[in-house]
Amino acid sequence: MANFQTNDKVRIKYHIQGKEDGQALIFIEGYSGNEATWAAQINDFVKAGFKVITYDRRNHGKSQSVPYGMQIARHGFDLAELINHLKLKKPVLIGHSMGASTIFAYLSLFGCQNVKAVVTEDQSPKAISENDWSFGLFNSSWENFYKNAALIETTKLTRLPISSEIKRILGEAYRSYQPFDFHFNQPLLLDSLVQDWREEIKNETVPHLFLAGSASPLWSSEHSKAAASLSPFARAYTFKGCGHIPHLESADEFNRLVIKFIQKNSY
């Protein structure tokens, strides 16, 4: 596992696997996760000829935890620093949940100039329901938002069973990590959830695949179609029966779909 230091002196851990001159892909985990959450993707994407990059965001996994940089914009900037550190040219960005918000934050800061394509998984671009958007977290309004945000820590995120092999791989990986500190990182969660990324989506000029689980416990899966409708470069897909983590609940389907999407839009 390699690492680099951000400009505010935080050590970020990352892995590179696959074909050195292949299309670069960056997988970005969700809130409280780590790079091991992509265990069911690595082999298939490497076999497809890609250069696969996974990393732990600050305060996640084996990257350094610090009491600052608790803004999703800072996580977007960290992603930019990783891209610059590795000298990547037009990587494909693939983010789950808060990993998707990290991508939105990156795009808000730097645009699409150095991005080939985007895949975001089960993340509503606006987590608070209002008159023009009905796909908030647990259908939250501003009145009950903070109470509902606190429920994330104890919510069961999956709906379909995860294979025993994936469970084994994840179990071995997680034993090497320090437990995630939900209380310490609550400011990051709240900062992420109060954002509205719809204008960023409207400004996108690269292909974007919005993914959702039809049985997601966090928000209606219709958020993916609503978000995709904001950009002529976007499309949406819903995994039937899946909860919040389709890339683990329906790994083979996820891998086939995303590989096909990237191959179609990378050459």
Side-chain angles (χ1 to χ4, degrees):
M1 192 178 224
N3 70 87
F4 77 98
Q5 188 176 77
T6 64
N7 70 348
D8 61 346
K9 303 190 184 310
V10 177
R11 293 188 306 278
I12 302 292
K13 301 283 189 176
Y14 66 89
H15 268 117
I16 301 177
Q17 300 178 68
K19 191 176 179 182
E20 177 57 35
D21 61 350
Q23 169 66 55
L25 317 178
I26 303 179
F27 288 84
I28 310 162
E29 81 279 353
Y31 181 64
S32 81
N34 55 63
E35 65 170 359
T37 189
W38 301 107
Q41 279 62 62
I42 303 302
N43 287 342
D44 284 354
F45 283 82
V46 167
K47 287 178 182 177
F50 298 117
K51 180 178 183 178
V52 176
I53 300 153
T54 56
Y55 77 103
D56 288 331
R57 291 182 294 119
R58 64 172 62 205
N59 293 21
H60 288 68
K62 294 183 178 179
S63 287
Q64 187 177 0
S65 287
V66 295
Y68 54 89
M70 295 276 193
Q71 300 85 29
I72 196 65
R74 178 67 240 195
H75 284 241
F77 195 88
D78 290 347
L79 173 58
E81 289 199 273
L82 173 65
I83 292 170
N84 291 336
H85 174 74
L86 297 177
K87 297 180 172 58
L88 300 178
K89 300 299 182 183
K90 291 188 176 294
V92 175
L93 306 180
I94 304 170
H96 168 245
S97 196
M98 190 182 285
S101 295
T102 299
I103 294 173
F104 291 136
Y106 169 88
L107 295 175
S108 75
L109 293 168
F110 301 99
C112 299
Q113 291 87 341
N114 192 35
V115 175
K116 177 66 72 173
V118 173
V119 179
T120 52
E121 180 188 6
D122 210 58
Q123 176 62 50
S124 175
K126 178 172 165 46
I128 299 171
S129 295
E130 295 186 283
N131 291 337
D132 62 346
W133 189 259
S134 58
F135 313 111
L137 174 71
F138 305 123
N139 201 30
S140 294
S141 64
W142 279 107
E143 286 73 20
N144 60 7
F145 165 69
Y146 292 100
K147 180 181 74 174
N148 285 346
L151 298 176
I152 290 179
E153 180 179 352
T154 56
T155 297
K156 180 177 171 55
L157 297 178
T158 57
R159 290 294 181 265
L160 295 182
I162 297 174
S163 75
S164 56
E165 177 61 14
I166 294 177
K167 284 184 178 178
R168 183 189 64 79
I169 294 172
L170 292 177
E172 291 179 357
Y174 272 74
R175 282 193 288 272
S176 68
Y177 291 92
Q178 291 292 325
F180 183 78
D181 191 331
F182 284 89
H183 178 74
F184 180 73
N185 287 287
Q186 186 184 48
L188 170 64
L189 175 65
L190 296 178
D191 181 79
S192 176
L193 289 174
V194 299
Q195 305 301 321
D196 182 351
W197 302 113
R198 290 176 295 174
E199 289 302 316
E200 276 66 39
I201 295 170
K202 292 177 184 178
N203 290 328
E204 290 178 5
T205 56
V206 297
H208 189 152
L209 178 60
F210 288 88
L211 304 176
S214 70
S216 176
L218 299 187
W219 25 56
S220 165
S221 62
E222 293 299 308
H223 71 78
S224 61
K225 295 177 184 177
S229 71
L230 299 174
S231 168
F233 304 98
R235 57 174 288 229
Y237 181 87
T238 300
F239 293 86
K240 293 182 179 179
C242 284
H244 183 54
I245 320 178
H247 72 268
L248 293 180
E249 298 173 72
S250 189
D252 290 342
E253 181 183 7
F254 178 95
N255 294 353
R256 288 193 302 269
L257 176 73
V258 176
I259 288 172
K260 183 177 180 180
F261 169 77
I262 296 170
Q263 290 174 335
K264 179 180 179 181
N265 293 292
S266 294
Y267 302 105

